[in-house]
């Protein structure tokens, strides 16, 4: 299994571009990098990738996915693609976001092992040889875990908070200090390519598919130049995707909150009834209910109801996205020198 890439119909909703069966060549390594407005970094990024990959002594290709860049990134990438047949450029029809861009790259890359990394040099190419060594020893999924992290113009406590909440809620063990940076064996890539869900959290899907895994550690620097390309809103959406696609706990949480509030209300109701029947106060509760207790219980229950409806909404919204089965991205063109297969 996994020696030829089979395109089941299930892969098609991911994008319109079908890549054709990839031939398993002698240990080809692919590097997939999403690029969005990174003109400042493309030259140095490509240079670093080339140096590291040449040092491996294995055939390699790099797949840059241009996610609708508005600056000169695409031009710079295409120049490199024309100069070097090992460079493939996937041009998306517009800006689709980080996860769709990476998914597009996964569909086009033909390697026996695929390395995923960001294009802002936060994921240092120097870690690649270690990941390839782990793969050669038999690991099919290599996670690059952050020993430390630096972020530019981003409060890093937000990331810590997300990972804390995620670790608490996730129904499935997902390594928490790892983003997309890592290596996937062809078999794992084929498995991930068959997952058609729209709300993708790749680190979760990567853990979900299983296979033998290995961890390498690195220090995450802040981005080498430019501003972060993912807006805070998009990161929050991504965090919610992670939580809601890998956990049912929020649903249960609202159920428990509802049950607790209802039990409390029942108990309180009984006490009030007894007070009323006995004609005197109990536990300091006056016979005539005051405004405070009414308004507090009203607000409390109203709050719980709204939270529960909100949580339901998050799930239903995602169900709606999946039902529509819109493609996750659209490819304008795949630029490559070598023939498809
Ligand atoms: N990126 C992308 N599409 C987007 C946003 C970002 O392809 O809509 C790319 C970006 O060029 C970079 C990588 O994804 O190579 C990570 O983006 P960024 O550094 O902004 O994310 P962060 O490090 O803040 O998570
Ligand atoms: Mg970054």
């Amino acid at each position: 299994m996994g020696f030829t890439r089979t395109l089941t119909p299930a892969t098609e909703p991911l994008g319109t571009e079908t890549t054709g069966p990839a031939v398993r060549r002698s240990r080809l390594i692919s590097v997939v990098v999403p690029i969005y407005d990174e003109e400042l970094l493309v030259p140095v990024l490509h240079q670093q990738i080339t140096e590291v990959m040449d040092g491996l002594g294995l055939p390699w290709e790099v797949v840059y996915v241009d996610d609708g860049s508005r600056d000169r990134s695409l031009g710079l990438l295409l120049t490199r693609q024309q100069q070097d047949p090992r460079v493939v450029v996937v041009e998306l029809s517009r800006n689709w976001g980080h996860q769709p861009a990476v998914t597009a790259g996964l569909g086009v890359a033909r390697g026996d092992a695929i390395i995923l990394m960001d294009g802002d040099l936060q994921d240092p190419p120097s870690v690649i040889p270690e990941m390839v060594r782990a793969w050669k020893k038999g690991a099919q999924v290599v996670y690059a875990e952050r020993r430390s992290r630096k972020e530019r113009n981003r409060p890093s406590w937000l990331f810590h908070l997300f990972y804390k909440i995620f670790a608490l809620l996730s129904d499935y063990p997902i390594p928490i200090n790892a983003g997309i940076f890592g290596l996937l064996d062809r078999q794992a890539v084929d498995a991930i390519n068959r997952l058609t869900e729209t709300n993708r959290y790749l680190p979760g899907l990567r853990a979900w598919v299983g296979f033998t895994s290995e961890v390498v550690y690195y220090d995450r620097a802040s981005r080498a130049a430019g501003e972060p390309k993912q807006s805070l809103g998009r990161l929050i959406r991504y965090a919610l995707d992670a939580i809601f696609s890998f956990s049912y706990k929020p649903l249960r949480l609202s159920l428990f909150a509802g049950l607790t509030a209802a039990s409390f209300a029942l108990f309180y109701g009984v006490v009030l009834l007894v007070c009323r029947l006995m004609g005197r106060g109990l536990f300091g509760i006056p016979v005539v209910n005051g405004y405070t207790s009414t308004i507090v219980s009203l607000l409390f229950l109203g709050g719980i109801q709204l939270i529960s409806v909100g949580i339901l909404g998050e799930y239903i919204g995602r169900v709606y996205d999946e039902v529509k089965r819109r493609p996750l991205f659209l490819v304008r063109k795949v630029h490559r020198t070598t023939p498809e297969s």
Side-chain angles (χ1 to χ4, degrees), residues 38 118-123 151 154 220-223 228-230:
E38 303 286 9
D118 281 351
D120 58 356
L121 294 171
Q122 283 200 284
D123 302 336
E151 290 296 335
R154 289 266 169 77
R220 189 167 173 86
S222 52
R223 71 165 28 246
K229 300 298 168 337
Q230 307 202 75

Side-chain angles (χ1 to χ4, degrees), residues 51-328:
E51 273 167 27
V52 169
M53 296 309 286
D54 277 343
L56 287 178
L58 287 170
W60 61 273
E61 65 171 7
V62 54
V63 178
Y64 292 111
V65 183
D66 177 68
D67 189 17
S69 295
R70 296 156 301 179
D71 65 1
R72 293 184 306 128
S73 299
L74 179 63
L76 292 171
L77 291 172
L78 288 177
T79 311
R80 276 144 192 88
Q81 187 267 325
Q82 276 144 23
Q83 289 163 351
D84 186 343
R86 298 172 300 186
V87 179
V88 179
V89 177
V90 182
E91 195 185 333
L92 299 187
S93 66
R94 63 166 166 89
N95 176 245
W96 292 83
H98 178 247
Q99 298 285 302
V102 174
T103 309
L106 277 180
V108 169
R110 298 183 295 184
D112 301 281
I114 296 184
I115 289 152
L116 297 181
M117 58 182 281
D118 281 351
D120 58 356
L121 294 171
Q122 283 200 284
D123 302 336
S126 54
V127 188
I128 293 177
E130 207 181 327
M131 299 199 283
V132 173
R133 265 196 297 279
W135 174 66
K136 278 185 175 166
K137 280 194 209 140
Q140 289 176 291
V141 175
V142 185
Y143 296 93
E145 274 199 31
R146 299 176 275 260
R147 251 186 314 239
S148 62
R149 93 180 286 160
K150 290 202 192 95
E151 290 296 335
R152 181 193 283 244
N153 294 347
R154 289 266 169 77
S156 57
W157 63 266
L158 260 183
F159 291 93
H160 291 301
L161 181 72
F162 161 70
Y163 283 113
K164 281 259 151 53
I165 296 176
F166 188 52
L168 205 72
L169 290 180
S170 169
D171 290 331
Y172 193 79
I174 295 169
I176 60 162
N177 280 318
I180 62 151
F181 192 29
L183 178 148
L184 297 166
D185 181 72
R186 165 57 52 198
Q187 213 177 348
V189 172
D190 284 343
I192 291 175
N193 283 348
R194 286 177 55 207
L195 305 175
T196 56
E197 55 205 82
T198 309
N199 298 296
R200 285 174 103 72
Y201 177 60
L202 273 170
L205 299 179
R206 179 179 57 186
W208 184 86
V209 296
F211 300 107
T212 13
S213 63
E214 185 75 57
V215 179
V216 300
Y217 294 93
Y218 75 105
D219 295 302
R220 189 167 173 86
S222 52
R223 71 165 28 246
E227 293 302 313
K229 300 298 168 337
Q230 307 202 75
S231 65
L232 204 58
R234 218 174 222 179
L235 277 184
I236 291 171
R237 157 102 202 163
Y238 182 44
L240 293 180
D241 276 348
I243 292 169
F244 293 118
S245 55
F246 284 95
S247 178
Y248 293 113
K249 287 201 184 91
L251 281 177
R252 272 176 234 140
L253 211 69
S254 63
L255 177 71
F256 284 127
L259 280 178
T260 313
S263 318
F264 175 75
L266 194 73
F267 171 75
Y268 191 54
V270 170
V271 171
L272 289 182
L273 197 69
V274 171
C275 290
R276 167 78 58 196
L277 292 177
M278 288 170 40
R280 69 183 176 83
L282 266 181
F283 315 121
I285 298 168
V287 179
V288 181
N289 286 332
Y291 170 77
T292 319
S293 62
T294 315
I295 203 80
V296 165
S297 51
L298 205 79
L299 287 177
F300 179 62
L301 278 178
I304 287 186
Q305 278 168 359
L306 283 179
I307 292 170
S308 308
V309 171
I311 291 173
L312 276 179
E314 288 291 337
Y315 283 98
I316 291 173
R318 282 170 176 73
V319 170
Y320 183 49
D321 281 346
E322 303 300 344
V323 168
K324 282 187 293 195
R325 292 182 70 80
R326 283 194 191 146
L328 196 59

